[in-house]
């Protein structure tokens, strides 16, 4: 619709029509918004998928027309996981988005992306930050999967972002707003503790509650809560790094917040300095103990921590909000137009206006001979340039007026109004993108299976340390940092790729190649970044739970990516796994162990209180429940307080190809006992355990 400018685009959140107006009038080049389903902010007002709103919720078409008239792009966030029985509904929404003329779809679910590439190949796809991309390899893999833009993880430094540029994919970087404690897409805290899934758009934000290092926290101890991000001092750097889009978080925020953040970053992107009063209002309208740029500059310490205090709430007072409302309480001219007026004796007056793409023409009364003062071209031009209250401003004016003719100024005003109204209608007309609902992707070809299940499920066990390698499993995995070239007789042996790879691609690839030379045949991969490294190292990639696979199309996408086997999402119920009973590649289930609730770039205990590392580190919540921390190479995992246990319910499990057993702090004797339980079945669960989400599901 509009050509992309050379400077980075300013991308603002629009959780409602009021917020959308605040974004556009504040100077946003593009907005991102959600429909009433399949959006990572399900509790925002959002936009209905129909042609008209039919109530308080504005329609998607209304939103797109409003933005396109004013030269702003619209990206629809379909950035949640799609369960198999929801795929048709998700595709119907995508088809409506194509009819409405949205400029791109933001997608997390790889199955949905696969279907969209077949149904709407001309619709640009943006890879959501929920896909956890944080390395050049990840960007390259997502580009090959059909994404034209990647929204990078928020934990990345300037150097790590720079390494991802120039790979044939646009980069989008968050520059302002809330920071999740976990790498996006790798958080299961809300889902596993409360049944509200962040991957489904309903995160309850338990990380904002009190947590402390090693003891029950006081009300103010919140080591999982971070300050809000603000990279306003780094806009020039981001531009030099080749970042295409500066993204503001906040679809749940009020319009005043959207207006303030958009106005600040719009000014900076255009090389201007925002007024100090506006910067103060930006912090006052919403912050958590102020702002941070710690990840971007590589300073990951206690200064990152922050929570919403009473003084932060009080700062968003009536005076602040009133000042910010003035940023968006009226139309702002955004679109340059050229005029041509033709006033000729004996012919109706004609006024044309063009934005360079669309042209509108208005006809008025014929001029009359002037009795006193004839109409001069300069006077006509001055009148026609009065475009206040519209999205347009005059770039060029060409007025031709016959000598001695008169035309009332009221007639010129009417011509201007009619011409601009017609131009607005032309600009707001949906530019539909083709959508073939019957299109189906070609059948995928997966890599050779790394292990061959027999009549019973294959037991794939992950040991945290070499001493846990005991008889009883069919295959073993060791973390890359603990690799010790195990060679148990008759067992498949693999290596676990670190789930956090920030800036460590080459060293991890080298270590994977050494593991391959020393007997490893496959690699457990938790996200797209790891898959390419495994393939380059000559290891068969096995998809881990972090790939969040929830539908058959996602399995097909993984097979097409060269994976050899995959684990299903931990957020599915057994009943929702029916799509995997005849899969395109071997499929398994996280069946035992302390499930990782968060993937953290840094150890929160180290950040808050300091620690020597090693086993025994933990966080404690406000109820006194202790959650272990597993610090490995490249990142830290917050583990569930109790292990998932299903050995006494083996007959209830769906008949998948393998069961994944995730050992962390168990003794070798305990490992041996648990392997026996999963081989023969157990009579009862241990005293402390969870069934996970397999029977209760998520919202």
């Amino acid at each position: 619709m509009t050509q992309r400018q050379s400077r980075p685009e300013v991308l603002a959140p629009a959780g409602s029509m009021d917020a959308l107006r605040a974004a556009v009038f504040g100077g946003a080049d593009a907005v991102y918004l959600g429909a009433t389903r399949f959006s990572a902010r399900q509790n925002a007002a959002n936009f209905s998928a129909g042609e008209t709103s039919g109530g308080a919720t504005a329609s998607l078409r209304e939103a797109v027309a409003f933005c396109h008239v004013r030269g702003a792009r619209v990206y629809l966030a379909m950035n949640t996981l799609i369960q198999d029985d929801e795929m048709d509904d998700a595709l119907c929404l995508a088809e409506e988005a194509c009819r409405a003329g949205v400029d791109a779809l933001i997608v997390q679910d790889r199955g949905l992306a696969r279907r969209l590439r077949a149904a709407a190949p001309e619709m640009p796809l943006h890879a959501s930050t929920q896909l956890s991309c944080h390395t050049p390899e990840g960007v390259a893999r997502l580009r090959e999967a059909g994404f034209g833009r990647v929204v990078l993880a928020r934990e990345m430094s300037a150097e790590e972002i720079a390494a991802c540029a120039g790979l044939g994919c646009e980069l989008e970087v968050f520059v302002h707003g809330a920071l999740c404690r976990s790498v996006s897409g790798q958080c299961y805290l809300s889902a596993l503790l409360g049944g509200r899934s962040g991957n489904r758009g309903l995160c309850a934000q338990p990380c904002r509650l009190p947590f402390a290092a090693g003891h029950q926290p006081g009300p103010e101890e919140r080591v999982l809560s971070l300050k809000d991000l603000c990279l306003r001092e780094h806009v020039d750097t981001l531009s030099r790094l080749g970042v295409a889009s500066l993204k503001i978080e906040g679809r749940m925020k009020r319009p005043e917040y959207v207006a303030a953040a958009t106005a600040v970053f719009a000014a900076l992107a255009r090389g201007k300095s925002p007024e100090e009063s506006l910067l103060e209002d930006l912090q006052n309208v919403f912050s958590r103990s102020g702002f941070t740029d710690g990840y971007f500059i590589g300073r990951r310490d206690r200064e990152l921590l922050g929570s919403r205090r009473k003084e932060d709430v009080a700062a968003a007072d009536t005076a602040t909000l009133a000042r910010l409302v003035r940023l968006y309480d009226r139309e702002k001219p955004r679109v340059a137009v050229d005029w041509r007026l033709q006033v000729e004796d004996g012919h109706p007056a004609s006024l044309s206006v063009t934005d360079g793409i669309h042209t509108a023409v208005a006809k008025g009364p014929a001029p009359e001979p002037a009795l006193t003062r004839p109409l001069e071209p300069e006077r006509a031009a001055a009148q026609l340039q009065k475009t206040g209250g519209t999205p347009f401003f005059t770039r060029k004016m060409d007025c031709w007026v016959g000598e001695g003719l008169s035309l009332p100024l009221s007639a010129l005003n009417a011509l201007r109004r009619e011409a601009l109204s017609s131009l607005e209608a032309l600009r707001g007309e949906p530019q539909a993108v083709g959508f073939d609902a019957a299109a189906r992707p070609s059948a995928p070809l997966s890599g050779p299976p790394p292990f061959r299940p027999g009549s019973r499920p294959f037991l794939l066990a992950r040991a945290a340390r070499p001493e846990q390698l005991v008889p009883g499993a069919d295959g073993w995995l060791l973390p890359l940092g603990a690799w010790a070239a195990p060679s148990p007789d008759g067992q498949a042996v693999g290596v676990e790729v670190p789930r956090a790879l920030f800036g460590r691609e080459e060293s991890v690839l080298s270590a994977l190649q050494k593991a391959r030379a020393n007997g490893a045949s496959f690699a457990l991969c938790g996200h797209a970044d790891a898959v390419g490294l495994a393939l380059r190292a000559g290891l068969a990639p096995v998809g881990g739970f972090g790939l969040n696979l929830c539908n058959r199309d996602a399995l097909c996408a993984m097979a097409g990516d060269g994976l050899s086997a995959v684990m299903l999402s931990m957020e599915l119920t057994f009943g929702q796994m029916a799509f995997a009973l005849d899969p395109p590649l071997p499929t398994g289930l996280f069946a035992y162990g302390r499930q990782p609730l968060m993937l953290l770039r840094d150890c929160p205990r180290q950040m808050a209180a300091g620690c020597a590392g090693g086993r025994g580190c933990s966080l404690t919540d406000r109820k006194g429940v202790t959650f272990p921390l597993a610090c490995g190479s490249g990142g830290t995992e917050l583990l569930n307080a109790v292990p998932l246990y299903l050995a006494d319910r083996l007959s209830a499990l769906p008949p998948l190809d393998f069961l994944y057993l995730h050992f962390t702090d168990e003794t070798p004797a305990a490992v041996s006992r648990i392997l026996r339980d999963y081989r023969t079945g157990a009579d009862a669960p241990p005293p402390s355990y969870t069934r996970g989400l397999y029977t209760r599901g998520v919202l």
Side-chain angles (χ1 to χ4, degrees):
M1 188 208 72
T2 56
Q3 292 187 350
R4 183 68 44 81
Q5 61 277 356
S6 58
R7 61 173 175 80
E9 129 191 304
V10 175
L11 176 59
S16 67
M17 196 63 191
D18 284 343
L20 184 143
R21 291 189 185 94
V24 174
F25 292 166
D29 301 297
V31 301
Y32 64 104
L33 48 80
T36 51
R37 293 186 69 188
F38 310 121
S39 160
R41 293 294 182 269
Q42 285 296 99
N43 288 328
N46 292 316
F47 295 81
S48 66
E51 293 188 18
T52 57
S53 58
T57 303
S59 75
L60 181 58
R61 290 200 179 193
E62 290 169 339
V64 172
F66 182 91
C67 290
H68 283 184
V69 164
R70 291 155 181 84
R73 293 175 287 277
V74 179
Y75 307 145
L76 178 66
M78 297 185 66
N79 55 341
T80 61
L81 299 180
I82 311 296
Q83 294 172 358
D84 201 64
D85 62 356
E86 298 173 326
M87 185 60 72
D88 288 345
D89 288 346
L91 290 170
C92 285
L93 173 58
E95 184 173 11
E96 175 55 34
C98 287
R99 287 198 205 99
V102 303
D103 298 283
L105 298 176
I106 307 170
V107 177
Q108 173 187 11
D109 192 279
R110 287 295 308 278
L112 177 61
R114 179 175 185 267
R115 292 292 296 274
L116 290 173
R117 285 274 54 82
E122 299 304 313
M123 172 58 72
L125 294 186
H126 295 178
S128 168
T129 192
Q130 292 288 113
L131 278 163
S132 315
C133 182
H134 58 281
T135 68
E137 184 66 44
V139 171
R141 297 292 296 180
L142 291 173
R143 181 199 65 219
E144 292 169 8
F147 291 98
R149 177 185 290 188
V150 173
V151 188
L152 293 175
R154 304 176 213 209
E155 296 79 12
M156 296 174 67
S157 68
E159 292 76 14
E160 291 158 357
I161 293 170
C164 293
L167 299 178
C169 214
E170 290 185 348
L171 301 182
E172 184 172 301
V173 172
F174 278 94
V175 294
H176 192 85
L179 281 173
C180 294
R181 191 62 172 93
S182 173
V183 175
S184 294
Q186 302 300 314
C187 184
Y188 310 96
L189 185 65
S190 178
L192 282 163
L193 297 189
R196 294 169 57 88
S197 169
N199 281 311
R200 301 272 292 168
L202 289 170
C203 178
Q205 299 190 7
C207 57
R208 301 295 181 188
L209 297 173
F211 280 85
H215 62 273
Q216 191 163 348
E220 303 305 318
E221 293 181 281
R222 301 170 189 259
V223 300
L224 290 180
S225 182
L226 301 182
K227 292 177 181 175
D228 277 15
L229 171 71
C230 186
L231 298 185
R232 65 179 179 85
E233 296 181 358
H234 306 288
V235 169
D236 286 345
T237 299
L238 289 164
S239 180
R240 289 195 300 272
L241 294 180
V243 171
S245 183
L246 310 178
K247 187 170 194 171
I248 299 165
E249 183 277 337
R251 279 191 285 149
M252 296 292 291
K253 299 291 199 314
R254 59 195 308 157
E256 293 90 341
Y257 165 92
V258 174
T262 303
V264 166
F265 282 93
L268 292 167
R270 292 165 173 82
K272 301 178 181 178
S273 298
E275 295 182 3
E276 284 299 321
S277 60
L278 179 57
L279 296 175
E280 291 175 9
D281 284 343
L282 175 61
Q283 178 158 329
N284 289 341
V285 72
F286 195 93
S287 77
R288 290 183 173 91
S289 312
F291 297 133
T292 182
D293 60 357
Y295 283 127
F296 187 79
I297 65 174
R299 181 181 176 183
R300 303 187 298 273
D301 56 22
R302 191 176 181 84
E303 290 301 310
L304 275 169
L305 301 179
S307 59
R308 189 81 168 141
R309 306 165 301 180
K310 290 181 180 179
E311 51 266 43
D312 297 327
V313 176
D317 56 20
T318 303
T320 297
L321 298 179
R323 286 193 297 273
L324 294 177
V325 166
R326 291 198 289 271
L327 293 173
Y328 66 96
D329 63 355
R330 64 195 66 187
E331 185 75 71
K332 305 292 175 60
R334 291 175 50 109
V335 180
V337 294
D338 298 337
W339 299 92
R340 178 170 176 78
L341 175 68
Q342 189 85 10
V343 180
E344 186 177 357
D345 188 22
H347 297 277
S350 174
L351 178 66
S352 68
V353 61
T354 181
D355 59 10
I357 299 175
H358 310 89
T359 300
V361 179
K363 297 290 186 179
E368 297 180 355
L371 298 178
T372 55
R373 181 183 179 185
L375 179 66
E376 300 99 353
E378 296 79 11
R379 189 172 173 222
Q383 194 67 23
L384 293 174
Q385 291 189 66
K386 296 178 180 179
T387 58
T390 77
F392 307 104
F393 65 92
T394 298
R395 177 176 50 198
K396 180 181 177 183
M397 179 71 70
D398 181 10
C399 292
W400 191 93
V401 181
E403 186 175 352
L405 298 178
S406 175
L407 191 68
L409 296 184
S410 60
L412 290 176
N413 292 339
L415 283 169
R416 183 188 64 237
R417 287 193 297 267
E418 181 182 346
L420 290 181
S421 178
S422 297
L423 181 61
E424 186 169 328
L426 289 171
R427 290 176 62 86
E429 189 69 23
Q431 302 298 306
V433 177
F435 192 97
D436 182 0
R440 291 292 185 273
S442 58
L445 296 174
S446 64
F451 40 76
R452 298 189 177 279
S455 58
R456 64 187 185 188
F458 186 95
L459 293 186
L460 176 61
R462 179 264 195 192
R465 305 176 303 282
E467 56 265 31
Q468 292 174 319
L469 298 172
V470 299
D474 296 308
W476 278 103
L477 281 159
L478 269 173
L480 185 61
W483 180 254
S487 54
D489 293 339
Q491 295 178 339
V493 178
V495 61
E496 180 186 51
V497 183
R499 291 177 64 207
L501 293 170
F502 298 95
R504 303 170 56 249
E505 232 181 32
E506 292 307 315
S507 63
V508 168
L509 176 60
S510 177
L512 289 173
Q513 291 168 334
K514 290 179 181 177
R516 174 71 178 89
N518 288 320
S521 61
F522 62 96
L524 185 66
C525 303
H527 40 68
D529 304 56
V531 173
L533 295 182
L535 289 169
R536 288 167 61 189
L539 296 164
V542 174
F545 61 87
L547 289 174
N548 298 318
L549 306 178
C550 290
N551 55 72
R552 182 175 178 81
D553 285 292
L555 299 187
C556 292
M558 294 301 100
D561 279 0
L563 275 80
S564 301
V566 293
M567 232 180 286
L568 299 180
S569 167
M570 298 189 296
E571 297 188 4
L572 294 174
T573 65
F574 291 147
Q576 291 167 339
M577 297 178 185
F579 68 87
L581 299 185
D582 182 24
L585 73 176
T587 305
L589 176 73
F590 192 119
Y592 170 80
R594 294 182 183 270
Q595 294 164 288
L597 302 178
M598 281 184 164
L599 174 63
L600 313 165
R601 175 151 194 186
D602 299 281
C603 174
R605 183 183 176 110
Q606 172 68 35
M607 183 180 291
C611 72
R615 300 201 300 272
C617 290
S618 63
L619 298 183
T620 305
D621 73 3
R622 69 196 192 284
K623 297 180 180 179
V625 178
T626 298
F627 297 85
L629 292 167
C631 297
S633 57
T636 296
E637 292 178 323
L638 178 72
L639 304 178
N640 206 351
V642 294
L644 174 73
Y645 190 86
L646 301 171
D648 61 323
R649 298 283 185 90
L650 295 180
S651 62
L653 271 57
L656 301 177
D657 297 304
F658 67 94
L659 300 180
Y660 173 74
L661 312 181
H662 187 81
F663 296 110
T664 52
D665 58 356
E666 293 86 352
T667 65
V671 172
S672 184
R673 183 181 68 253
I674 292 164
L675 288 170
R676 184 175 63 250
D677 289 347
Y678 275 82
R679 182 68 70 201
T680 62
D683 294 329
S688 298
Y689 69 97
T690 178
R691 302 295 190 193
L693 297 165
Y694 296 140
T695 57
R696 57 190 173 99
V698 295
L699 295 176

